[in-house]
Amino acid sequence: MKSFPLFTCISMLGIILAHSLAFAYVPMEREMGAVQRIFYFHLPSAWLCYLGFIVCAVASLRYLLSGESRHDALALSAAEVGLTFGVVVLTTGPLWARVAWGTWWKWEPRLTTMALLFLIFAAYWLLRSFGGPGEGLRKFSAVLAVFGAPNIVFVHIAVTRWRGDHPNNIRLDPEMRVVLYSALFFMIILFIQLLRLRYQSHLQQRTLAALRRRLSRLSA
Amino acid sequence: MNPATIRSRGARTQRHLLPHILFATLLLMLTIIKGQSFAAPSAVESPSTESPAPTEAEAGAEAAASTPTAAPASAEVSAPAAEPKPAAPPTKAYSAEEIAEIKEKARVDALRYADRGNRHLWIAYSLIWLFIFLFIFRTWKRSAALEGELEDVKRRLRAIDAGERGAQ
């Protein structure tokens, strides 16, 4: 826990620095104008959202195969972190779309599949939050995560396969690439720190529950 | 280890960390809200997909266009046949709904380059990051509290184990 303030503060300050670069260093994009600067955080958030859900699915599969509680804790933590970045994607996207497309939302392939992916893992998280601690529920939600993660492929190919309006295969100037990769780097650090924190928290909760049961047996 | 010491240490660490997180969040919000004033339309604009070379090409095109009398014949010979001028669209009377739609589109288009027109957008965007940072802080605070409780339960279990060994 001692490293938490250091790396988390580094990532937070790094994200602030990336925002400064996005506003002061990068020139304005010709077609979208000022609102295009959201892109430098919208795209990394989307990638990290995918990463969170992939980690959740892999950890869920390992839990189903081995039955070890720590894999389940990792799956739940990864889903929470993936949902956090998913919220960033699904809120910054409409803010950008309002100015770029003139509407907050369009039922075009990428947006629709992304919303579906988010809802699947939101269902996973709600099941785990309100469904109780039973073993059966954990396995049910693990199966949901394993079958929900392949939707990421549909989100990725949605624009090319179904001719959506969402921007795809964008060519960037060197300054834009610098800012994009800087933002991605610091957001990856934030992702790792958040995942580690949630994972430790879930493991501590289980350990605490087990020790309390033992304490109550010994006290009785 | 005394649980009271753990809790007080955790509380001191929280009090130490909270101002830094609040300061970082405030700094981020100010950077975002103030930073959009850097994105003035008069700033250097570079196309997202073109290299700097087009400026030279544009200069070359301007130079060629500035000397029309020099080589009109050669331009006619070398240049491809000019496309026929498209016919002017027929005039039509727009309905009130169409006029409203055109005005709305023009207003939204104007927002793209306005310095202050989309301030609400940046405020909403900063709030997103504020919630993210608060989530991080809440997660850390919960983890620190759990650590304290774990130490407390372990201490009580050790006390019970020691009491049982003493009784034996």
Side-chain angles (χ1 to χ4, degrees):
Chain A
M1 288 298 286
K2 284 182 185 173
S3 64
F4 165 75
L6 177 65
F7 282 108
T8 306
C9 287
I10 286 172
S11 65
M12 286 163 65
L13 288 171
I15 289 170
I16 292 172
L17 173 68
H19 277 93
S20 306
L21 290 175
F23 285 109
Y25 172 66
V26 173
M28 191 184 298
E29 203 272 338
R30 190 167 57 175
E31 292 180 13
M32 300 282 182
V35 76
Q36 183 268 345
R37 296 169 199 272
I38 285 179
F39 160 81
Y40 303 109
F41 305 95
H42 177 77
L43 183 60
S45 299
W47 288 344
L48 292 173
C49 176
Y50 296 165
L51 180 63
F53 293 159
I54 290 170
V55 170
C56 178
V58 170
S60 296
L61 188 62
R62 291 184 73 183
Y63 171 67
L64 288 170
L65 294 173
S66 67
E68 287 179 36
S69 175
R70 59 192 177 98
H71 294 140
D72 176 66
L74 179 60
L76 179 57
S77 310
E80 288 171 342
V81 177
L83 283 170
T84 304
F85 283 98
V87 165
V88 176
V89 174
L90 290 174
T91 45
T92 55
L95 289 177
W96 185 4
R98 179 70 181 101
V99 180
W101 292 340
T103 181
W104 296 104
W105 186 264
K106 259 189 190 180
W107 292 108
E108 65 98 48
R110 172 152 292 175
L111 271 66
T112 307
T113 48
M114 184 68 196
L116 188 63
L117 177 70
F118 182 85
L119 285 173
I120 290 171
F121 282 89
Y124 172 93
W125 179 73
L126 286 169
L127 272 174
R128 295 301 305 273
S129 298
F130 298 105
E135 184 74 16
L137 184 79
R138 288 186 190 178
K139 292 195 171 173
F140 177 80
S141 53
V143 171
L144 177 64
V146 169
F147 279 94
N151 195 34
I152 293 170
V153 176
F154 294 123
V155 176
H156 191 65
I157 66 171
V159 178
T160 51
R161 180 66 67 174
W162 296 304
R163 297 194 191 95
D165 292 334
H166 192 279
N168 199 39
N169 288 332
I170 303 166
R171 283 172 53 198
L172 296 175
D173 278 352
E175 297 96 341
M176 293 179 170
R177 257 180 266 147
V178 165
V179 177
L180 176 67
Y181 295 141
S182 304
L184 178 63
F185 173 72
F186 289 113
M187 288 174 79
I188 286 174
I189 297 178
L190 187 66
F191 176 91
I192 293 169
Q193 278 300 108
L194 207 50
L195 183 64
R196 190 168 146 259
L197 207 60
R198 297 301 294 183
Y199 179 57
Q200 281 178 353
S201 178
H202 288 302
L203 285 182
Q204 282 171 341
Q205 273 182 324
R206 288 162 202 228
T207 307
L208 188 62
L211 288 178
R212 277 189 176 146
R213 281 196 296 271
R214 190 175 155 212
L215 185 65
S216 62
R217 274 200 308 271
L218 289 173
S219 302
Chain B
M1 195 176 282
N2 188 358
T5 308
I6 295 169
R7 285 198 197 97
S8 65
R9 188 184 306 148
R12 276 202 301 275
T13 310
Q14 287 174 30
R15 282 198 295 272
H16 177 70
L17 191 63
L18 180 58
H20 293 82
I21 289 183
L22 285 176
F23 174 73
T25 308
L26 189 63
L27 190 61
L28 178 61
M29 289 177 70
L30 282 171
T31 305
I32 292 168
I33 293 171
K34 283 292 181 185
Q36 56 90 25
S37 65
F38 285 115
S42 58
V44 172
E45 291 185 6
S46 83
S48 60
T49 57
E50 295 178 40
S51 62
T55 55
E56 297 173 1
E58 286 173 4
E62 283 177 6
S66 66
T67 57
T69 58
S74 61
E76 285 173 3
V77 168
S78 60
E83 293 178 0
K85 201 173 176 182
T91 56
K92 77 174 249 196
Y94 289 98
S95 66
E97 286 162 1
E98 284 171 330
I99 291 171
E101 199 180 312
I102 291 167
K103 281 184 180 173
E104 175 63 17
K105 188 173 179 306
R107 188 188 71 82
V108 170
D109 282 345
L111 280 178
R112 290 183 191 180
Y113 298 97
D115 253 354
R116 297 176 183 276
N118 47 6
R119 185 178 282 270
H120 63 284
L121 183 151
W122 298 115
I123 292 172
Y125 177 72
S126 340
L127 284 174
I128 293 167
W129 283 104
L130 173 64
F131 288 130
I132 299 295
F133 288 162
L134 284 175
F135 171 68
I136 295 167
F137 176 70
R138 190 171 159 269
T139 301
W140 174 79
K141 195 174 165 186
R142 185 175 158 204
S143 191
L146 277 172
E147 208 170 316
E149 285 179 39
L150 260 175
E151 288 299 319
D152 183 34
V153 171
K154 283 179 183 172
R155 182 188 58 82
R156 287 162 69 182
L157 279 170
R158 278 194 293 269
I160 291 173
D161 285 342
E164 282 179 352
R165 274 194 225 111
Q168 287 171 2

